């Protein structure tokens, strides 16, 4: 079965420092991976996705993610964190069996960026 | 703003009641998805419609049903509500139907927060 794991409930980082939010996945076949961000009282906003090709994927708001097949990971990164990046981040994998497009989400990681 | 709209934003009702949540997809998107976000279950896929037809079903209770209308808007009907149905319900839309090889991005609406008292 397809699944994703976000091993950290919360990540704390100082403004201006690099940030990493971790995600590991388990899929049969090629993984289609996504990152979404949820701000308080808002819906999920799409950040980036990996389908195929370059292992480093660039997305919105300066975020990028590194796909690592051998480690089955898809970590979200940003070189310099902003206080406004504080939010809940979700990693998701597309549910391949049956060929359907449903997303399977991780539990989420709360990112807190301190001034 | 994703272009996906959901109404109402908030809904407060009593146990045993029935409610309807509405979603309008982004212009040009044919697929609509419903997800439930709760503290204990996280984000769970409920159901997908593509161009008016049910495409995929997830962990959707029998008390819940959905449909997609000819104008592509969708409604999620929740009946015989229980306290445990209190959650944030998201609608998302994408262009295609999501068949094998499909790589559509799903864009989410702002959600409807349902509180069952």
């Amino acid at each position: 079965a397809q699944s994703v794991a976000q091993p950290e409930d919360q990540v704390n980082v100082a403004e201006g420092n690099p940030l990493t939010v971790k995600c590991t996945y388990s899929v049969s076949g090629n993984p289609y991976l996504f990152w979404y961000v949820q701000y308080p009282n808002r819906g999920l906003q799409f950040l980036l996705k990996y389908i195929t090709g370059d292992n480093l994927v660039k997305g919105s708001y300066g975020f990028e993610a590194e796909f690592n097949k051998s480690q089955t990971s898809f970590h979200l990164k940003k070189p310099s964190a902003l206080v406004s990046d504080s939010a809940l981040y979700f990693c998701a994998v597309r549910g391949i069996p049956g060929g359907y497009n449903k997303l399977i989400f991780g539990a989420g990681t709360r990112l807190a960026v301190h001034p | 703003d994703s272009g996906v709209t959901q109404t109402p934003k908030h809904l407060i009702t009593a146990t045993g009641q029935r409610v309807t949540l509405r979603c309008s997809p982004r212009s040009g998107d044919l697929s609509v998805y419903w997800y439930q976000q709760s503290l204990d279950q996280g984000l769970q896929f409920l159901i997908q419609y593509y161009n008016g037809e049910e495409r995929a079903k997830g962990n959707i209770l029998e008390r819940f049903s959905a449909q997609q209308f000819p104008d592509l808007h969708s409604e999620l009907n929740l009946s015989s509500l229980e306290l445990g149905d209190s959650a944030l319900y998201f609608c998302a839309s994408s262009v295609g139907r999501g068949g094998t090889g499909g790589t559509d991005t799903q864009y989410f609406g702002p959600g409807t927060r349902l509180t069952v008292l």
Side-chain angles (χ1 to χ4, degrees):
Chain A
Q2 321 285 95
S3 66
V4 291
Q6 294 182 242
E8 301 155 318
D9 290 337
Q10 177 148 335
V11 170
N12 296 296
V13 67
E15 188 175 30
N17 282 1
L19 69 87
T20 298
V21 182
K22 295 179 180 177
C23 172
T24 59
Y25 65 89
S26 174
V27 302
S28 53
N30 294 323
Y32 296 159
L33 297 157
F34 301 79
W35 276 102
Y36 286 84
V37 59
Q38 184 178 22
Y39 295 99
N41 301 313
R42 302 275 295 276
L44 278 77
Q45 294 182 29
F46 169 72
L47 283 178
L48 50 80
K49 67 181 178 184
Y50 173 82
I51 304 300
T52 187
D54 289 342
N55 290 340
L56 188 63
V57 179
K58 294 191 181 298
S60 306
Y61 313 120
F63 284 93
E64 57 191 26
E66 186 170 11
F67 172 71
N68 187 317
K69 189 172 184 177
S70 62
Q71 296 185 5
T72 61
S73 66
F74 188 56
H75 299 333
L76 181 71
K77 300 183 179 187
K78 188 173 183 182
S80 178
L82 300 172
V83 172
S84 57
D85 293 329
S86 299
L88 189 54
Y89 290 80
F90 290 95
C91 181
V93 65
R94 205 194 103 182
I96 299 294
Y100 300 125
N101 210 23
K102 70 175 185 180
L103 291 175
I104 299 167
F105 286 89
T109 298
R110 189 164 299 280
L111 174 66
V113 182
H114 305 284
Chain B
D1 185 1
S2 67
V4 179
T5 60
Q6 290 187 251
T7 56
K9 289 185 78 172
H10 302 277
L11 203 47
I12 301 175
T13 188
T15 54
Q17 295 298 305
R18 172 189 169 94
V19 296
T20 298
L21 282 53
R22 183 188 169 102
C23 167
S24 292
R26 295 187 320 155
S27 177
D29 285 358
L30 298 179
S31 270
V32 169
Y33 311 78
W34 287 96
Y35 291 85
Q36 179 194 59
Q37 185 179 33
S38 62
L39 284 175
D40 54 344
Q41 297 289 326
L43 265 163
Q44 299 275 324
F45 168 76
L46 295 178
I47 198 164
Q48 176 196 358
Y49 277 81
Y50 172 76
N51 204 21
E53 294 191 4
E54 184 183 302
R55 174 77 177 143
K57 227 170 184 176
N59 299 324
I60 188 167
L61 300 172
E62 284 192 15
R63 300 183 285 108
F64 296 1
S65 64
Q67 54 184 326
Q68 186 180 27
F69 295 86
D71 67 352
L72 301 177
H73 91 271
S74 177
E75 292 180 357
L76 179 67
N77 300 296
L78 314 177
S79 61
S80 302
L81 285 167
E82 302 174 0
L83 295 178
D85 298 327
S86 296
L88 194 50
Y89 290 85
F90 286 112
C91 168
S93 73
S94 73
V95 171
R97 64 177 183 169
T100 303
T103 58
D104 289 351
T105 297
Q106 293 178 33
Y107 293 92
F108 284 73
T112 293
R113 183 169 295 281
L114 173 66
T115 303
V116 182
L117 300 175

